[in-house]
Amino acid sequence: MKKFSIAMLSMLLAGSMLLTGCGGNNAQTQTTDNGQDESNAAQTGADYKLAVDGTLTMATNAFFEPYEYYEGEEIVGIDAEVGKAIADKLGLSFAISDMEFDSIITAVSSGKADMGMAGMTVTPDREKNVNFSQTYATGVQSIIVPEGSDIASPDDLAGKKIGVQQGTTGDLYCTDDFGEDAMSRYSKGTDAIMALTQGKIDCVVIDNAPAQKYVEANEGLKILDTAYAEEDYAIAFAKDNTALKDAVDAALGELIADGTVQSIIDKYITAD
Ligand code: GLN
């Protein structure tokens, strides 16, 4: 099956700082007060509900540089900054709840978190469980191989051991295309990369922006010029919280229109 287009991967060289250590654990919540008065929900007439009154809580997996990652104890990155800018526009404080990637949709649909923002690709299956905002970024699924690998294009993946981050689109697409037996699943992209450098697997299929970071940080790895799939990233909401989705979509639309989102992306992803 080819339900997605094969795209030429533009070889972005990400110039921003490399992650030097992951200081956090998997259950961390990071909160930032906004300096303003109470939530402006009343002022704007908004009727959405929130997990914590006056706070917009974003569920993520903070091992996905440059979208979300730890700098010391703090979670930073494109999603962290765009999420905070949205909260500011809505007059809300902002919290990030860090969890496994494949727990995010459950956290959002059960109302434990208000929105899922994790470089998350819009897929028809996910749309059965959550509603998505407009797209705020695009990604592609890249293939990372050791230098000298005989894998030169997605067609060469047949019969290979493929490493992915559990529950991501790389996992879903490769399982569909190459079968269960081909797959080695890891809870973090970094663990998949470690297995690749140790020769336990033949390649890693993962989003291009973290792929660039991994290849910069690990000698002897390269990204194939031909990518595996093109994708749109968006924010996930509980099906029954359309009022919040509408409010966030309006704020996000303004942040896209005034260039804020692009300037945040440019801060973390530098094209040469
Ligand atoms: N874009 C991929 C997905 O949505 C991976 C996201 C991630 O690992 N944070 O499945």
Side-chain angles (χ1 to χ4, degrees):
M1 71 98 220
K2 281 285 163 265
K3 63 187 169 209
F4 42 77
S5 59
I6 301 297
M8 291 305 289
L9 174 64
S10 63
M11 299 297 282
L12 296 175
L13 287 177
S16 57
M17 192 164 52
L18 291 178
L19 177 59
T20 51
C22 295
N25 58 39
N26 270 349
Q28 178 153 344
T29 299
Q30 166 180 312
T31 308
T32 327
D33 284 336
N34 80 8
Q36 306 171 26
D37 290 340
E38 292 299 291
S39 153
N40 73 352
Q43 295 159 31
T44 58
D47 54 357
Y48 47 76
K49 51 185 185 314
L50 296 165
V52 176
D53 259 0
T55 298
L56 184 65
T57 303
M58 162 182 143
T60 200
N61 172 252
F63 295 90
F64 195 70
E65 189 182 0
Y67 283 86
E68 37 269 325
Y69 59 101
Y70 282 92
E71 238 174 45
E73 294 287 295
E74 196 191 353
I75 298 169
V76 298
I78 295 167
D79 288 339
E81 288 202 27
V82 173
K84 171 80 169 66
I86 290 169
D88 284 349
K89 269 216 178 278
L90 298 178
L92 299 169
S93 296
F94 182 57
I96 301 177
S97 181
D98 183 20
M99 60 189 70
E100 299 288 321
F101 181 78
D102 59 3
S103 301
I104 295 172
I105 288 200
T106 312
V108 168
S109 48
S110 68
K112 281 200 194 110
D114 303 312
M115 62 178 192
M117 215 174 165
M120 187 178 283
T121 305
V122 179
T123 72
D125 269 353
R126 289 177 183 161
E127 281 178 314
K128 289 178 194 154
N129 298 309
V130 286
N131 288 331
F132 281 103
S133 70
Q134 63 196 288
T135 299
Y136 64 92
T138 53
V140 296
Q141 291 298 312
S142 294
I143 303 168
I144 305 178
V145 294
E147 306 267 7
S149 165
D150 60 355
I151 300 173
S153 83
D155 295 339
D156 301 330
L157 292 183
K160 300 293 186 189
K161 288 188 197 143
I162 304 170
V164 292
Q165 188 184 358
Q166 168 107 13
T168 61
T169 45
D171 181 3
L172 307 175
Y173 299 160
C174 289
T175 305
D176 253 10
D177 282 357
F178 303 105
E180 194 60 38
D181 289 351
M183 307 305 298
S184 297
R185 301 191 175 91
Y186 302 88
S187 67
K188 298 186 196 96
T190 39
D191 296 341
I193 295 297
M194 192 180 298
L196 183 63
T197 59
Q198 293 169 347
K200 293 180 181 158
I201 52 178
D202 299 311
C203 63
V204 170
V205 175
I206 198 157
D207 300 50
N208 61 319
Q212 292 289 348
K213 298 291 180 188
Y214 292 138
V215 168
E216 284 170 20
N218 292 276
E219 255 178 61
L221 299 181
K222 65 172 185 183
I223 300 173
L224 297 189
D225 287 347
T226 311
Y228 192 53
E230 280 184 329
E231 311 185 304
D232 288 327
Y233 293 167
I235 308 173
F237 298 91
K239 284 274 182 198
D240 62 0
N241 207 351
T242 52
L244 178 63
K245 175 185 133 41
D246 291 347
V248 169
D249 247 338
L252 178 60
E254 288 173 22
L255 293 165
I256 291 171
D258 72 8
T260 304
V261 169
Q262 192 57 51
S263 70
I264 292 171
I265 292 173
D266 291 347
K267 180 173 152 189
Y268 286 94
I269 301 178
T270 335
D272 272 0

